[in-house]
Amino acid sequence: MIGRIWHGWTKPDNANRYERLLKEEIFTGIADKKVPGYRGIQLFRRPIGDEEVEFVTIMWFDSWEAVKRFAGEDYERAYVPSKAREVLARFDERSQHYEIRERLDY
């Protein structure tokens, strides 16, 4: 399994708007693509002082081939729709990918 990790930051005034956009449009749009081997996404959020809110997404894929089916040959390039770019103050241009070597669920 492969984890695709991405970070984005926004101002506190835009944080709830951005989270809604992710949940209501972006995540459903990704799911609607029905990419074979895509297994889901997680969303993390934390304030950084009074100036920023950081968002982290982790997408789960069965294989490197599935990542490439989602993102293309330049699979590290971040997927950031234009609506998200309007709300974010800054974001990773490249996603990081890790092989999941162990997962324990209790």
Coordinates of all heavy atoms in Angstrom, one line a residue, residues 10-24 43 45 53 55 87:
T10 N -3.7 27.7 5.3 CA -4.6 28.8 5.0 C -4.7 29.7 6.2 O -4.3 29.4 7.3 CB -6.0 28.3 4.6 OG1 -6.8 29.4 4.1 CG2 -6.8 27.7 5.7
K11 N -5.3 30.9 6.1 CA -5.6 31.8 7.2 C -6.7 31.2 8.0 O -7.6 30.6 7.5 CB -5.8 33.2 6.7 CG -4.7 33.8 6.0 CD -4.9 35.2 5.6 CE -3.8 35.9 4.9 NZ -2.5 35.8 5.5
P12 N -6.7 31.5 9.3 CA -7.8 31.0 10.2 C -9.2 31.4 9.6 O -10.2 30.6 9.7 CB -7.5 31.6 11.5 CG -6.1 31.8 11.5 CD -5.7 32.2 10.1
D13 N -9.4 32.6 9.1 CA -10.7 33.0 8.5 C -11.2 32.1 7.4 O -12.4 32.1 7.1 CB -10.6 34.5 8.1 CG -10.5 35.4 9.3 OD1 -10.6 35.0 10.4 OD2 -10.2 36.6 9.0
N14 N -10.2 31.5 6.7 CA -10.6 30.6 5.5 C -10.6 29.1 5.9 O -11.0 28.3 5.0 CB -9.6 30.9 4.4 CG -9.8 32.2 3.7 OD1 -10.9 32.8 3.7 ND2 -8.7 32.7 3.2
A15 N -10.3 28.8 7.1 CA -10.1 27.3 7.4 C -11.4 26.5 7.3 O -11.4 25.5 6.7 CB -9.5 27.2 8.8
N16 N -12.5 27.0 7.8 CA -13.7 26.3 7.7 C -14.2 26.2 6.3 O -14.7 25.2 5.9 CB -14.8 26.9 8.7 CG -14.5 26.7 10.1 OD1 -13.8 25.7 10.5 ND2 -15.0 27.5 11.0
R17 N -14.1 27.3 5.6 CA -14.5 27.3 4.2 C -13.7 26.3 3.4 O -14.2 25.5 2.6 CB -14.3 28.7 3.6 CG -14.6 28.8 2.1 CD -14.4 30.3 1.7 NE -14.3 30.3 0.2 CZ -13.7 31.3 -0.4 NH1 -13.0 32.2 0.2 NH2 -13.6 31.3 -1.7
Y18 N -12.4 26.2 3.6 CA -11.5 25.3 2.9 C -11.9 23.8 3.3 O -12.0 22.9 2.4 CB -10.1 25.5 3.2 CG -9.2 24.6 2.5 CD1 -9.2 24.5 1.1 CD2 -8.3 23.7 3.2 CE1 -8.4 23.6 0.4 CE2 -7.5 22.8 2.5 CZ -7.6 22.8 1.1 OH -6.8 21.9 0.4
E19 N -12.1 23.6 4.6 CA -12.5 22.2 5.0 C -13.8 21.8 4.3 O -13.9 20.6 3.9 CB -12.6 22.1 6.5 CG -12.9 20.7 7.0 CD -12.8 20.6 8.5 OE1 -12.2 21.4 9.2 OE2 -13.4 19.6 9.0
R20 N -14.8 22.7 4.3 CA -16.0 22.3 3.6 C -15.8 22.0 2.1 O -16.4 21.1 1.6 CB -17.0 23.5 3.7 CG -17.9 23.4 4.9 CD -19.1 24.4 4.9 NE -18.7 25.8 4.5 CZ -18.2 26.7 5.3 NH1 -18.0 26.4 6.6 NH2 -17.9 27.9 4.8
L21 N -15.0 22.8 1.5 CA -14.7 22.6 0.1 C -14.0 21.2 -0.1 O -14.4 20.5 -1.1 CB -13.7 23.7 -0.4 CG -13.2 23.5 -1.9 CD1 -14.3 23.7 -2.9 CD2 -12.1 24.6 -2.1
L22 N -13.1 20.8 0.7 CA -12.5 19.5 0.7 C -13.6 18.4 0.8 O -13.6 17.5 -0.1 CB -11.4 19.3 1.8 CG -10.1 20.1 1.6 CD1 -9.3 20.0 2.8 CD2 -9.4 19.5 0.4
K23 N -14.3 18.5 1.8 CA -15.3 17.4 2.1 C -16.5 17.4 1.1 O -16.9 16.3 0.8 CB -15.9 17.6 3.6 CG -14.9 17.4 4.6 CD -15.5 17.7 6.0 CE -14.6 17.4 7.1 NZ -15.2 17.7 8.4
E24 N -16.9 18.5 0.7 CA -18.2 18.5 -0.1 C -17.9 18.4 -1.6 O -18.7 18.0 -2.4 CB -19.0 19.8 0.2 CG -19.5 19.8 1.6 CD -20.2 21.1 2.0 OE1 -20.3 22.0 1.1 OE2 -20.5 21.2 3.2
L43 N -8.1 13.3 6.4 CA -7.9 14.8 6.5 C -7.5 15.1 7.9 O -8.2 14.7 8.9 CB -9.2 15.6 6.2 CG -9.1 17.1 6.4 CD1 -8.1 17.7 5.5 CD2 -10.5 17.7 6.1
R45 N -6.1 18.4 10.5 CA -6.2 19.9 10.6 C -5.6 20.3 11.9 O -5.9 19.7 12.9 CB -7.6 20.4 10.5 CG -7.8 21.9 10.7 CD -9.3 22.2 10.6 NE -9.5 23.6 11.1 CZ -10.6 24.3 10.8 NH1 -11.6 23.8 10.1 NH2 -10.7 25.5 11.3
V53 N -3.6 27.9 9.6 CA -4.2 26.6 9.9 C -3.6 25.6 8.8 O -3.6 25.9 7.6 CB -5.7 26.6 9.8 CG1 -6.3 25.1 10.0 CG2 -6.3 27.5 10.8
F55 N -3.4 22.0 6.9 CA -4.2 20.8 6.5 C -3.3 19.8 5.9 O -2.4 20.1 5.2 CB -5.3 21.1 5.5 CG -6.4 22.0 6.0 CD1 -6.3 23.3 6.1 CD2 -7.6 21.3 6.5 CE1 -7.4 24.1 6.6 CE2 -8.6 22.1 7.0 CZ -8.5 23.4 7.1
V87 N -8.3 29.7 -1.9 CA -8.5 29.7 -0.4 C -7.2 29.5 0.3 O -7.0 30.1 1.4 CB -9.5 28.7 0.0 CG1 -9.8 28.8 1.5 CG2 -10.9 28.9 -0.7

